[in-house]
């Protein structure tokens, strides 16, 4: 059995005296994709920020070794960037360790973008281009584990699926560990190794997509009935 990269035991987090996460235990294995699933306000983003060391907690968070983390927070879109006159090159140069131009071009190519995008304003990119650029921006620091909080917010379903397939391809190629927050059940079934469910009622579950994505678990997680249709070779929700 593979030793966990990260082990969480009896984790509890409170904000403004309200308990957001209560007595949560699970583990992350190196090289896997773990998806965190649950309704809005169930503590998904709070959990990510806690694991990244931004929030106080009780319980145990144990990393197997010193590791470099990457984080792509929720809510940063090309529309919000219209307020700032930053080019793509300017945005990359905000990094603490200044990357070389050739290095930036290499990581842009990895996510399917050409180097001529460097001179474009970040706010003028399409939603899909902007998300790809953000992924390259996170990857250029060469993290070993990356936390993605809903990386396809504001992108249509077709574009979103392309971003997820790109993430999966890069994860396998670079041997990355990925922790992902998403609501897309089809994507979870297709790409995730394990799923962690969080709910408003402190119901949690942890296992493989096949184990977790059952009508019963989804109803307990979201507090309402979730339609579940299974077809040969594919699953639909």
């Amino acid at each position: 059995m593979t030793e966990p990269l990260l082990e969480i035991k009896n984790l509890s987090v409170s904000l403004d005296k309200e308990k957001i996460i209560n007595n949560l235990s699970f583990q992350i294995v190196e090289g896997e994709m773990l998806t965190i699933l649950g309704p809005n306000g169930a503590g998904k983003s709070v959990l990510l920020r806690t694991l990244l060391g931004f929030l106080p907690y009780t319980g145990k968070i144990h990393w197997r070794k010193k590791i470099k983390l990457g984080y792509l927070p929720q809510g940063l879109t090309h529309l919000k960037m219209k307020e700032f006159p930053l080019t793509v090159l300017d945005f990359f140069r905000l990094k603490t360790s200044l990357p070389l131009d050739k290095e930036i071009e290499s990581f842009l190519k990895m996510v399917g973008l050409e180097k001529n995008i460097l001179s474009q304003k970040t706010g003028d990119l399409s939603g899909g281009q902007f998300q790809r650029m953000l992924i390259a921006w996170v990857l250029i620091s060469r993290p070993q584990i990356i936390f993605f909080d809903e990386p396809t917010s504001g992108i249509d379903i077709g574009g979103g699926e392309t971003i997820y397939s790109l993430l999966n391809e890069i994860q396998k190629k670079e041997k990355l560990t990925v922790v992902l927050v998403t609501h897309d059940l089809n994507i979870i079934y297709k790409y995730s190794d394990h799923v962690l469910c969080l709910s408003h009622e402190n119901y949690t579950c942890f296992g493989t997509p096949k184990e977790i994505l059952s009508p019963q678990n989804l109803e307990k997680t979201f507090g309402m009935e979730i339609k579940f249709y299974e077809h040969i070779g594919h699953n639909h929700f």
Side-chain angles (χ1 to χ4, degrees):
M1 184 176 175
T2 307
E3 185 184 354
L5 177 68
L6 175 62
E7 197 167 5
I8 293 91
K9 286 187 177 178
N10 306 319
L11 180 70
S12 293
V13 183
S14 296
L15 297 177
D16 297 326
K17 298 183 179 178
E18 180 187 355
K19 187 156 281 189
I20 308 297
I21 295 170
N22 186 32
N23 203 33
L24 179 65
S25 297
F26 67 99
Q27 62 186 33
I28 299 173
V29 175
E30 190 167 7
E32 77 167 352
M33 181 179 284
L34 169 71
T35 302
I36 303 171
L37 177 68
N40 291 334
K44 303 185 299 298
S45 296
V46 167
L47 175 58
L48 290 195
R49 294 202 300 271
T50 304
L51 297 181
L52 287 160
F54 299 151
L55 297 175
Y57 64 91
T58 59
K60 179 182 176 184
I61 298 176
H62 175 68
W63 292 94
R64 190 182 77 204
K65 57 185 177 182
K66 191 174 181 181
I67 202 156
K68 194 168 187 180
L69 308 178
Y71 176 45
L72 185 57
Q74 183 183 13
L76 187 59
T77 68
H78 64 300
L79 298 176
K80 288 187 177 179
M81 292 303 293
K82 285 186 179 295
E83 302 168 21
F84 307 99
L86 288 174
T87 65
V88 171
L89 182 59
D90 293 333
F91 191 72
F92 272 89
R93 285 180 171 162
L94 294 174
K95 285 282 184 184
T96 308
S97 300
L98 193 64
L100 301 171
D101 287 4
K102 287 291 184 186
E103 199 178 15
I104 297 171
E105 291 172 15
S106 172
F107 278 87
L108 288 174
K109 186 176 180 181
M110 186 187 293
V111 299
L113 295 174
E114 299 296 329
K115 65 180 181 180
N116 60 8
I117 205 172
L118 286 168
S119 60
Q120 292 186 38
K121 295 282 195 330
T122 53
D124 292 339
L125 302 179
S126 69
Q129 286 176 322
F130 187 77
Q131 290 297 329
R132 287 171 182 269
M133 186 270 292
L134 284 181
I135 291 169
W137 189 81
V138 173
L139 288 172
I140 204 167
S141 299
R142 292 182 170 82
Q144 294 147 292
I145 180 168
I146 304 179
F147 295 83
F148 288 109
D149 195 349
E150 297 194 44
T152 60
S153 296
I155 299 180
D156 62 39
I157 292 171
E161 184 144 11
T162 303
I163 292 293
Y164 282 122
S165 59
L166 173 67
L167 279 178
N168 182 67
E169 183 183 322
I170 291 171
Q171 180 209 358
K172 302 301 181 192
K173 183 181 176 183
E174 302 295 318
K175 296 181 172 60
L176 295 169
T177 304
V178 173
V179 179
L180 174 71
V181 172
T182 182
H183 290 100
D184 193 322
L185 303 182
N186 284 313
I187 294 298
I188 292 170
Y189 197 91
K190 190 172 182 180
Y191 297 122
S192 298
D193 297 294
H194 286 94
V195 183
L196 172 68
C197 299
L198 300 178
S199 77
H200 293 301
E201 306 302 322
N202 285 325
Y203 171 75
T204 61
C205 55
F206 178 78
T208 65
K210 193 170 183 179
E211 292 168 338
I212 297 306
L213 299 183
S214 69
Q216 295 80 12
N217 276 333
L218 293 174
E219 186 171 346
K220 287 179 182 177
T221 299
F222 289 96
M224 59 183 179
E225 183 181 359
I226 303 290
K227 299 287 186 183
F228 181 94
Y229 302 100
E230 187 167 355
H231 299 277
I232 296 173
H234 210 80
N235 289 69
H236 300 272
F237 305 86

